[in-house]
Amino acid sequence: MAKQYWLFKAEPEDYSIELFRKDKKTYWDGVRNYQARNFLRDSVKKGDEVFIYQSNTDPLAVVALAEVVKEGYPDFTAMDPDNSHFDPKSTPENPIWFMVDIKLTKVLKTPVLLSELKKNPKLKEFKLIQRGNRLSVMPVTATEWNEILAMSEK
DNA sequence: GCCAACGTTGGC
DNA sequence: GCCAACGTTGGC
């Protein structure tokens, strides 16, 4: 299958890029939205590339690139009562929530700001900038991927 | 199965 | 802090 591209959102309070820089590799836990879950469980494949986007912070921007190193498997934080993402409905026999593992490929020298993405006419269709979008895992087309990368290298 | 109420997300 | 958008819940 051809390589696919994704965008993962993170709030720096939850998981910052500084921490990712230290970890190098991490499990992407805490996704509690069914549409995003379906992507993680069914569509995100090993070798796919991922934009890491920081939300609810300043600046709002795509800040790093990552690569999927392990495909969807049950999110164990949903089964840990002490975890803030605990969901009693998810059990080892019947897990509801899924995660993938990613490794850091590159921290962008110049983050691509949300405000810049919105200004780019080529990215009019990009899901992230659509009004009301709340998905924390979303597909990115190859065209969008390349365009956004190019914006970072200026 | 409908839909109002409620909670959360996330930009501003 | 506000609020629009949208997902989820629960009464009927």
Side-chain angles (χ1 to χ4, degrees):
Chain A
M1 183 188 323
K3 186 173 17 178
Q4 305 173 105
Y5 302 96
W6 305 93
L7 181 140
F8 291 0
K9 280 185 200 169
E11 305 199 9
E13 276 188 39
D14 259 13
Y15 194 76
S16 70
I17 195 63
E18 289 77 21
L19 193 54
F20 195 16
R21 205 199 282 269
K22 255 182 262 167
D23 287 349
K24 302 279 188 224
K25 181 187 153 187
T26 187
Y27 51 85
W28 203 257
D29 68 303
V31 172
R32 298 290 179 269
N33 165 285
Y34 285 103
Q35 209 182 334
R37 186 281 311 266
N38 291 345
F39 284 134
L40 290 180
R41 187 189 56 188
D42 307 328
S43 307
V44 177
K45 298 296 175 192
K46 196 172 172 182
D48 285 357
E49 293 199 73
V50 179
F51 280 137
I52 304 299
Y53 173 81
Q54 295 202 324
S55 66
N56 265 325
T57 185
D58 188 21
L60 296 160
V62 173
V63 292
L65 311 181
E67 182 186 332
V68 177
V69 291
K70 184 173 176 183
E71 293 176 10
Y73 63 105
D75 181 341
F76 52 80
T77 67
M79 300 167 210
D80 174 3
D82 294 329
N83 193 284
S84 60
H85 300 300
F86 177 59
D87 181 352
K89 293 195 292 293
S90 194
T91 63
E93 296 76 34
N94 195 12
I96 298 175
W97 305 113
F98 285 74
M99 57 164 76
V100 299
D101 289 354
I102 58 176
K103 73 168 188 213
L104 183 64
T105 310
K106 184 180 187 179
V107 177
L108 295 179
K109 252 182 221 141
T110 53
V112 183
L113 304 179
L114 178 62
S115 56
E116 289 168 0
L117 295 174
K118 285 184 168 170
K119 274 188 257 169
N120 188 332
K122 290 183 193 158
L123 297 175
K124 276 225 163 59
E125 305 293 318
F126 188 38
K127 279 199 173 56
L128 182 71
I129 65 177
Q130 302 296 315
R131 189 180 175 76
N133 163 67
R134 289 168 51 185
L135 262 188
S136 58
V137 173
M138 70 182 77
V140 177
T141 67
T143 312
E144 289 161 352
W145 178 272
N146 291 328
E147 183 62 27
I148 293 164
L149 264 192
M151 291 169 73
S152 122
E153 282 158 4
K154 272 172 206 157

